[in-house]
Structure formats: C-alpha cells, structure tokens
Amino acid sequence: MTRTELFQGLLFSDRQVAVPTLTGDSETNAERTISMTTTRRTLLAGTAAAATGALLTAPASGAPLTAPAAHAHHQPRPKPTIVLVHGAFADASGWNDVATRLIRDGYSVIAPANPLRGVSADAAYLASVLATLSGPMVVVAHSYGGIVTTNAATGNANVRALVYVAAFVPDEGETLLGLQTKYPGSKLNEAALDFRPYGEGLVDGYIKKDVFRDIFAGDVRRSTTDLMWAGQRPADVRTLGEPSGAPAWKTIPSHYLVAREDNVLPAAAQRFMARRAGARVHEVSASHVAMVAQPAVTADLIKRAAS
C-alpha cells in the first residue's frame, strides 16, 4: 500500500468501538456495546497534514537544523567600558562614588592615573591606555582631564561618546589659561597656589590648604576636603600654557555637566565650550568637583551617554 493510500484509509474510514460502561441498576458490570460512529476525519486530517508538512519541509540529509526566526534570541548590545579621567589637584579616587554606581549597574570601569606632566605627554599616555581596551567605550573627563581626553580620544574608533564634567573642552590651539580666564569668576590664580620645584627648571603647583575647600570643593564636607587637599596630585605649571591639538569632540558625540557653583572654571566658560562642541548640556548646582558632590547625577549622565 502506498503512503497516499494509507493516509486516505486513515482519513476517510469510520469505525465502531465497543466501550464498556457501568450502569447504576442491577446490570452492574455488564458490558454494553455502544455504537460510536466516530468520524476521525477532523482529528486525523490535522495529524496527517502535520506529518505531510514535516515530510515536505524536512531538510536534506546532513543539512543543519535552525530555529524558526520567531524564536531567535537577539543578544543584548554589550555595555561600553567607562573610562574615568581625573584632573589636576586630584586623583582617581574622586570618581569612587560614581564608579560604585556604574559597576553596580554592570559597567566595566577603569580610572587610570593622569600623569599631570603636560598636555601632549598626558594625552599620549591616556591614548596608550585607551588602545589597550577592546570594544566600545565612553571616556569621562573632569577639569584638566578634559583637555587630555579631547586630544587622547582623537582618531580612536572605539570611543562612542565623551562626557565632560566641569571640564576644559578646547579647540585646536587653545590653552587652559586662556579658557579659564575667558570669563570672570575663577578664584584659582597664582596667589592660591604653592609652587614646588621638582627638577631643573620644572615646577609643580598645589592649591594652598587655606583656600582649597572654597576654590575646589565648597559643597563637600570639610573632613573630606581635608583629605582631598592632603592627597592632591600637583600639575606641572607648563600645562597652563600648552596649546591643545585636534579635538575629538568634532567627530565624537559629547555630553557636558555644567557645575553652576564652580570657582575654578566659571560656569559661563563651561557653557561656551559645551555649546561650541555641540554637546548635550546638563546643569547641576555643584562646586568644581561635581562628581564628588553629585555622584548620582553624574553617573546618570554617563549612563545616558553610554546607552
């Protein structure tokens, strides 16, 4: 019998089935034959159609089986690595509260030490760190770290976004001192600094203890700012006048967090640089160290830039 004849016999045959039933009267356990003309056409038609479809669509011998497109699982896009770059008169610990939030949310975070020896040297160092990281990344910079990042990220295709936190965002040829003094309001001047020679003709600058909190972190607890002052990493004073190179923000999307109460880099200068860079601008009532005073706001901005 052919397969077709077999299916036709299954589909179009009727049969009677003897079913044993129990009655409630004296004829207990008597078997009565119930004529059940149960047409199995509907049930078997569906079964046969499914079997036939399976035969017709089965892959050739040796062909791999693939899941239907409707059941395909799309892999989530990997989260970018977050690179946190500190500025002068500080170290990477200033990012601790921000990094804690990012790590808790599943981001890989690295906060390399910024050498603070000069714009070109520091940018070359940061660029070398970025070159060791695979996959997409978001580079976040504070203060002087902004000019370093602006140079270091240029030409790096893995950098998906830049985030500036009360940071310098120079164009080519501009200097820190020129941007810091472009608008009135900065309290960071020569009188606020202690100078310490560290080599032949080389000098480091530190913010003096008695003005550190007022200039740098006026909205942070004094017990914390005392530690920040004690552990501040100085900047070579040559960084103030060294011109910046080709800026990464001309090709990489950027975000900017303006610190309205900043006594180092006036808020007006921050807004000017952010607008010029085409950055998405956010503002917060904070001192120069907005990431210390407002870590949740800072982390949320970074996550938006990373999404």
Side-chain angles (χ1 to χ4, degrees):
M1 178 182 294
T2 67
R3 183 181 297 159
T4 301
E5 292 170 336
L6 174 61
F7 280 156
Q8 288 176 343
L10 289 171
L11 289 172
F12 302 115
S13 63
D14 294 335
R15 60 182 295 187
Q16 293 183 335
V17 182
V19 180
T21 61
L22 299 180
T23 67
D25 54 24
S26 59
E27 298 178 8
T28 305
N29 297 328
E31 183 178 275
R32 301 174 63 188
T33 301
I34 300 175
S35 176
M36 299 180 62
T37 307
T38 305
T39 302
R40 306 197 313 173
R41 292 176 182 173
T42 302
L43 176 62
L44 290 177
T47 304
T52 305
L55 291 171
L56 293 175
T57 59
S61 178
L65 295 174
T66 58
H71 298 289
H73 295 289
H74 296 287
Q75 293 297 326
R77 187 172 64 175
K79 291 183 176 181
T81 298
I82 310 298
V83 183
L84 304 173
V85 184
H86 69 82
F89 317 115
D91 61 18
S93 66
W95 291 110
N96 282 356
D97 288 344
V98 172
T100 297
R101 288 165 167 80
L102 296 172
I103 292 169
R104 184 178 61 205
D105 289 340
Y107 290 92
S108 295
V109 176
I110 179 173
N114 187 346
L116 308 179
R117 298 297 84 192
V119 174
S120 58
D122 296 344
Y125 174 77
L126 179 59
S128 71
V129 173
L130 300 181
T132 67
L133 303 176
S134 59
M137 66 187 86
V138 173
V139 185
V140 186
H142 173 244
S143 191
Y144 167 72
I147 191 171
V148 175
T149 295
T150 294
N151 287 269
T154 301
N156 190 322
N158 285 336
V159 179
R160 301 296 173 82
L162 304 170
V163 180
Y164 294 97
V165 180
F168 290 88
V169 188
D171 202 348
E172 188 167 6
E174 291 183 332
T175 66
L176 290 177
L177 188 60
L179 290 170
Q180 182 190 343
T181 59
K182 186 177 181 68
Y183 295 88
S186 178
K187 294 183 179 181
L188 184 63
N189 52 37
E190 187 174 344
L193 297 174
D194 283 325
F195 297 100
R196 297 186 177 122
Y198 71 92
E200 186 175 350
L202 303 175
V203 179
D204 271 342
Y206 298 76
I207 300 180
K208 292 179 177 179
K209 184 176 183 178
D210 59 344
V211 297
F212 183 90
R213 185 171 184 270
D214 178 49
I215 291 176
F216 204 65
D219 52 355
V220 179
R221 290 181 303 177
R222 188 171 295 278
S223 59
T224 300
T225 60
D226 285 347
L227 292 175
M228 292 170 67
W229 173 83
Q232 67 176 299
R233 294 187 53 225
D236 188 308
V237 296
R238 294 175 299 174
T239 61
L240 292 171
E242 185 176 350
S244 185
W249 51 260
K250 288 193 173 180
T251 57
I252 301 173
S254 60
H255 298 248
Y256 199 107
L257 184 62
V258 174
R260 296 194 193 102
E261 313 303 324
D262 197 329
N263 288 330
V264 173
L265 182 59
Q270 296 178 42
R271 295 184 185 106
F272 161 75
M273 292 183 290
R275 285 194 300 268
R276 182 179 62 180
R280 294 185 177 181
V281 181
H282 309 265
E283 297 202 0
V284 64
S285 293
S287 66
H288 186 58
V289 289
M291 72 288 192
V292 177
Q294 298 283 353
V297 173
T298 306
D300 286 345
L301 176 59
I302 294 169
K303 287 185 284 187
R304 280 199 293 272
S307 63

